Amino acid sequence: MHSTAKLFAALLLLAGSRLALAVNPSADIDALVHSAAAEVMQQHQIPGLAIAITAQGQQRFYNYGVASRQTGQPISSDTLFEIGSISKTFTATLATYAQAKGQLSLDDKVGKYLPELQGSPFAEVTLINLATHTAGGFPLQVPDAVHNTAQLMDYLKAWQPQYPAGSQRTYANPSIGMLGVIVARSLHVPYAHALEQQLFPALAMPNSYLQVPANKQALYAQGYSKDDAPVRLNPGVLAAEAYGVKTSARDLLHFVEAQLGQAELEPALKQALSATRTGYFTLGAMTQDLIWEQYNYPIALDALLQGNSSQMAYQSHAVSALQPPLPAQDAVWVNKTGSTNGFGAYVAFVPAKQIGIVLLANRNYPNEDRVRLAYRILSALE
């Protein structure tokens, strides 16, 4: 009987250890992240990669390689990366924040806020169209001939839509950039002030900037082009509003956790974050929110790859309007890619599972491989 009791106790201990491993598989997740990161870094010759994960309120940070090949400074969770078009999610958040405080309405037309454009087709576009890439067919970038605000307004006065507003999704910087201009006007402050002095502090993101200050330059990673040349962002007109943010894995993960409802926020900001995940249009498996793109969860990897493909970024696609718009959902995969010439970023989260991931690299590598990396890791976290 004594031996039997010992055996029974040993079996209980073994079962308990297996249960603990199943509940908190830290070693398995660490090994998976290390392996997956090594593969993508080797494949694309990425100098430095920061990965940040949140799972049921627990944070994990993984840092690989160097912020600069010249200095050999290692990547950290506070290294600053250019996040490209993920910046657009902050422009959308500023817009919904202003709306929550009664300072604008996304249902309004552009002409209400930019009276100098009254009489032009652009004046008839709604702010929702600006934030969903459905304004009518802007080019991806502001034209090279536009160097200042006066030239930008002349360009917008002359702009002629290719499609009726709300009928086609054409991914573009000018439209979301102009939403940022309108938000700043409605708040009566410059856009940089609204972002750096109002939104980032409210989101508890102290290490996020449009212009990296002198005392933070040491944290600013060196980007590397496809030709492996050192490069950093050379901002043009509407860069701040469309692709100009520099931030860290730690700060960006906190933004993800705020989206997951894990942060203490004032009611207006909490409402604003939820509003950015309102669905307005559908395109295949993807629902277009305010900049964010979402997919019903669970979602197949192939659908995510299609939704984040170059074809989606560079071509126009017919969309179907959701009437009424779809309120923020929990059982969805929400994501956004971002790139500059020397950096590649990706953010994804699943509210229903309370999981999310941030990928920041100081090299621009294909969106599809960012999605594969995130999908592999988040699938394991389930």
Side-chain angles (χ1 to χ4, degrees):
M1 291 295 292
H2 184 65
S3 297
T4 301
K6 283 186 175 181
L7 177 60
F8 183 65
L11 289 172
L12 283 177
L13 285 172
L14 179 60
S17 66
R18 287 178 175 171
L19 179 61
L21 181 61
V23 172
N24 185 26
S26 299
D28 290 349
I29 293 298
D30 290 350
L32 171 64
V33 174
H34 295 334
S35 173
E39 288 176 16
V40 75
M41 290 181 75
Q42 181 177 15
Q43 180 181 359
H44 298 291
Q45 296 300 296
I46 297 170
L49 177 66
I51 300 176
I53 297 169
T54 182
Q56 297 81 47
Q58 299 296 313
Q59 297 182 340
R60 300 186 73 83
F61 295 95
Y62 304 87
N63 300 296
Y64 306 97
V66 295
S68 166
R69 286 176 173 155
Q70 182 179 8
T71 67
Q73 179 180 349
I75 293 291
S76 78
S77 301
D78 297 313
T79 298
L80 296 173
F81 292 80
E82 296 171 10
I83 62 169
S85 286
I86 296 174
S87 306
K88 294 176 170 66
T89 66
F90 296 109
T91 301
T93 303
L94 269 176
T96 54
Y97 195 24
Q99 178 173 256
K101 295 190 291 185
Q103 292 171 292
L104 60 71
S105 170
L106 290 167
D107 292 317
D108 287 338
K109 294 181 179 180
V110 165
K112 178 177 179 178
Y113 303 95
L114 300 175
E116 62 267 43
L117 296 180
Q118 287 286 6
S120 69
F122 185 59
E124 297 302 309
V125 173
T126 69
L127 305 193
I128 288 173
N129 293 138
L130 297 183
T132 56
H133 313 297
T134 58
F138 276 100
L140 177 61
Q141 306 289 356
V142 174
D144 291 340
V146 174
H147 300 289
N148 55 48
T149 300
Q151 291 175 343
L152 176 64
M153 291 303 171
D154 288 342
Y155 165 70
L156 293 171
K157 287 176 187 176
W159 174 76
Q160 294 294 320
Q162 296 177 267
Y163 317 102
S167 66
Q168 296 269 336
R169 179 188 186 270
T170 308
Y171 190 86
N173 286 331
S175 51
I176 187 63
M178 288 310 299
L179 178 62
V181 170
I182 288 169
V183 170
R185 284 201 181 187
S186 73
L187 296 175
H188 308 293
V189 295
Y191 181 83
H193 183 280
L195 193 64
E196 295 183 330
Q197 304 302 317
Q198 297 182 18
L199 186 61
F200 285 157
L203 288 168
M205 298 177 64
N207 198 28
S208 300
Y209 313 94
L210 286 172
Q211 296 294 329
V212 179
N215 64 347
K216 295 290 184 179
Q217 284 291 330
L219 290 174
Y220 190 177
Q222 176 63 64
Y224 293 89
S225 71
K226 293 179 180 178
D227 298 326
D228 219 25
V231 63
R232 279 186 177 156
L233 181 64
N234 183 19
V237 175
L238 299 180
E241 298 86 350
Y243 54 85
V245 171
K246 295 89 179 173
T247 188
S248 66
R250 192 185 308 279
D251 267 23
L252 202 49
L253 188 67
H254 191 73
F255 182 50
V256 169
E257 291 181 328
Q259 293 283 352
L260 295 174
Q262 297 174 9
E264 292 292 332
L265 303 172
E266 62 170 299
L269 184 52
K270 185 176 181 180
Q271 179 183 339
L273 291 177
S274 178
T276 63
R277 295 192 289 109
T278 300
Y280 289 94
F281 298 95
T282 58
L283 172 53
M286 188 265 283
T287 296
Q288 181 66 64
D289 303 342
L290 299 180
I291 295 301
W292 292 114
E293 300 150 15
Q294 71 180 32
Y295 304 79
N296 289 336
Y297 190 82
I299 180 69
L301 176 59
D302 285 348
L304 286 176
L305 295 175
Q306 175 62 33
N308 287 282
S309 66
S310 297
Q311 181 187 40
M312 288 290 285
Y314 294 117
Q315 298 179 17
S316 294
H317 300 271
V319 293
S320 298
L322 289 168
Q323 297 292 349
L326 181 68
Q329 302 291 297
D330 284 339
V332 287
W333 174 291
V334 184
N335 74 185
K336 185 70 189 78
T337 61
S339 304
T340 60
N341 285 338
F343 293 80
Y346 182 64
V347 169
F349 54 93
V350 182
K353 297 292 183 180
Q354 288 292 289
I355 55 176
I357 191 167
V358 170
L359 304 177
L360 300 176
N362 55 349
R363 190 185 185 102
N364 184 344
Y365 64 109
N367 285 340
E368 291 86 348
D369 287 332
R370 303 177 211 177
V371 172
R372 288 188 181 95
L373 177 57
Y375 190 86
R376 182 176 175 184
I377 294 170
L378 289 190
S379 296
L381 286 175
E382 259 193 65

